[in-house]
Amino acid sequence: IENVKLNSPMILTLASSATANTTCAFWNTTEQAWSNEGLWRVPNRTGSGRSQELDSDAEFEDGEPLVCATMHLSVFSGVVGVFRD
């Protein structure tokens, strides 16, 4: 799936438990590398009755689900560590 842009973010749960420094990522076929452009981790609000918070500055703890928001469709994963700009 390439170049499919969304009008509003889609929420994906990629893992039921992740480390605090796990980052949402997708495989960029042009760069042949993992990227987090247009994709960010969000707090898990499933079952809370509250809307999903799209806070890219949220802090996470080990053991929390890996929930990601995205503005495009691609092959997604969780990557442990920090991306370099």
Side-chain angles (χ1 to χ4, degrees), residues 11-13 15-16 41-48 50-53 58-60 63-68:
I11 306 301
L12 305 167
T13 300
S16 60
R41 188 170 178 179
V42 294
N44 180 40
R45 299 290 182 239
T46 304
S48 68
R50 294 171 32 189
S51 62
Q52 199 77 29
E53 295 176 23
E59 292 186 16
F60 302 95
E64 290 186 36
L66 178 59
V67 181
C68 304

Side-chain angles (χ1 to χ4, degrees), residues 48-79:
S48 68
R50 294 171 32 189
S51 62
Q52 199 77 29
E53 295 176 23
L54 301 180
D55 179 4
S56 60
D57 294 324
E59 292 186 16
F60 302 95
E61 296 181 13
D62 287 347
E64 290 186 36
L66 178 59
V67 181
C68 304
T70 180
M71 294 301 293
H72 56 82
L73 300 179
S74 187
V75 175
F76 300 101
S77 183
V79 176

